[in-house]
Amino acid sequence: MTSNATKPAEAKLYDDPAATDLSAKVSEAWADFGRALAEALPTLKAGTTLALTLDPTAAGVGEAVYAVSVTPADGNELRAYAVSNAMLPPDHRLSRTTVGELVALGWSPPGVMAGGDERFGLHLPMDQAPRLAAIVSRTLRDAYGTPHPAFLVYAAESSDEQPVDVPALGAARPVPAGGEGLPTVGRVDLDALPLPDKVAAVIGAMLKTSPESLPVDKDGDIGIRSGSAMVFVRVRDNPPLVDVFSPVLTEVDANEQLYVKLSELTHRMPIGRLYCTGETVWASVPVFGRDFQATHLMLAVQVMTGLADELDDRLHGEFGGKRFFVDGDQTGAQPNDDNRTGMYL
């Protein structure tokens, strides 16, 4: 297998419309989820409660449970409730800014709406189901930090606590009667697949394409575009490992200032590392292949695609070099914008 150091030159084959921009696909996945939810809400019978929850194990939020529930009432009203800080551990409570954004979306503060208890509340007529679906989607994505609908699990129960069938809600995962999330991506049983096929199934689901249609180079690496950056997903055999990596900058002058900067940024990263080999700056996030979890890979890809697209601009401004999808980059450093605030660092 070819070393990573050769990747930037060969990978230019992705510089065409077929190179998928993951951020666009994530937005599309949320749009699909919102549409499906808008269609599902009017079909709920009175007394049925639909609960949508950010999977705490997959999202790494510990004991925090971020959830929204919707119940039809009186035949023509939808009553929704969302978790507030009173129900969250101290380390995972919402900021004042986020609470303000929830109120701006239309949520009433806890205790205002009947039946809300310590939760935010929102009551809307049934014919405003699309509006409610949009508010719920924004709440789960922006306020609760769900990176992709696939990190959501959902279930519905009737007033007598019997499970109720709900139409598929995009990439979100239904919870069967036993209470355990489905170990599948789409209709694929991941447990039955070898690691490379598991990875292809997960990335295919994220990009809304079949595993066979993924852009794969001669090294077997899957390529994912993210703005001006390129992210690769490589499966390693010994030990079983999935490496999510990106050539953040090429043709860069590797000097002591750069190494100090990369070390500083690595210490501030939630996961992964930054390093320089030759004239290329790399970012990498590993995912264990043993006891493989699809959501762990999805989270790594989410982090890396956002990180690489931000870092290539930031580091290019300070150290020059060339970004993956920007023609005409010069190797000389550009003026640095110290006011830019990073989302991941």
Side-chain angles (χ1 to χ4, degrees), residues 52-306:
L52 302 125
T53 306
L54 171 59
D55 186 341
T57 302
V61 293
E63 297 179 355
V65 177
Y66 297 98
V68 177
S69 65
V70 182
T71 302
D74 301 329
N76 195 37
E77 185 178 57
L78 291 168
R79 297 180 179 179
Y81 302 99
V83 165
S84 72
N85 282 338
M87 308 170 71
L88 295 171
D91 292 343
H92 295 283
R93 287 175 180 164
L94 308 173
S95 67
R96 289 185 178 181
T97 299
T98 301
V99 171
E101 291 171 351
L102 286 172
V103 173
L105 281 175
W107 292 102
S108 295
V112 173
M113 305 297 291
D117 302 322
E118 297 180 323
R119 296 172 294 174
F120 293 94
L122 176 60
H123 296 179
L124 289 175
M126 185 68 72
D127 59 9
Q128 293 192 32
R131 179 189 171 196
L132 179 58
I135 292 173
V136 169
S137 296
R138 288 281 304 278
T139 300
L140 292 166
R141 181 178 185 177
D142 300 335
Y144 294 164
T146 307
H148 190 284
F151 285 80
L152 295 174
V153 293
Y154 65 93
E157 287 186 349
S158 62
S159 55
D160 57 2
E161 298 186 354
Q162 293 300 310
V164 176
D165 289 333
V166 178
L169 300 180
R173 293 172 293 145
V175 179
E180 298 183 0
L182 298 178
T184 61
V185 175
R187 296 181 179 274
V188 179
D189 183 357
L190 292 183
D191 291 337
L193 300 177
L195 183 58
D197 292 343
K198 291 179 182 178
V199 170
V202 171
I203 302 300
M206 294 183 74
L207 300 180
K208 300 188 67 176
T209 188
S210 66
E212 296 77 19
S213 300
L214 292 170
V216 180
D217 65 16
K218 67 178 184 180
D219 296 334
D221 299 340
I222 301 170
I224 305 170
R225 180 169 183 170
S226 179
S228 57
M230 192 68 180
V231 172
F232 295 95
V233 180
R234 171 178 292 182
V235 179
R236 301 184 183 276
D237 297 327
N238 191 21
L241 186 74
V242 184
D243 191 13
V244 183
F245 64 95
S246 173
V248 177
L249 281 181
T250 60
E251 298 182 32
V252 67
D253 180 19
N255 52 44
E256 183 177 355
Q257 184 182 3
L258 174 63
Y259 290 123
V260 170
K261 186 70 171 183
L262 296 181
S263 177
E264 172 192 331
L265 292 174
T266 295
H267 283 299
R268 294 163 58 187
M269 288 172 61
I271 53 175
R273 66 188 181 111
L274 291 165
Y275 59 97
C276 182
T277 58
E279 296 182 333
T280 301
V281 173
W282 297 92
S284 174
V285 175
V287 177
F288 290 114
R290 190 172 287 111
D291 298 325
F292 176 81
Q293 298 293 320
T295 46
H296 293 176
L297 175 58
M298 296 175 77
L299 181 60
V301 172
Q302 288 282 341
V303 169
M304 180 56 66
T305 51

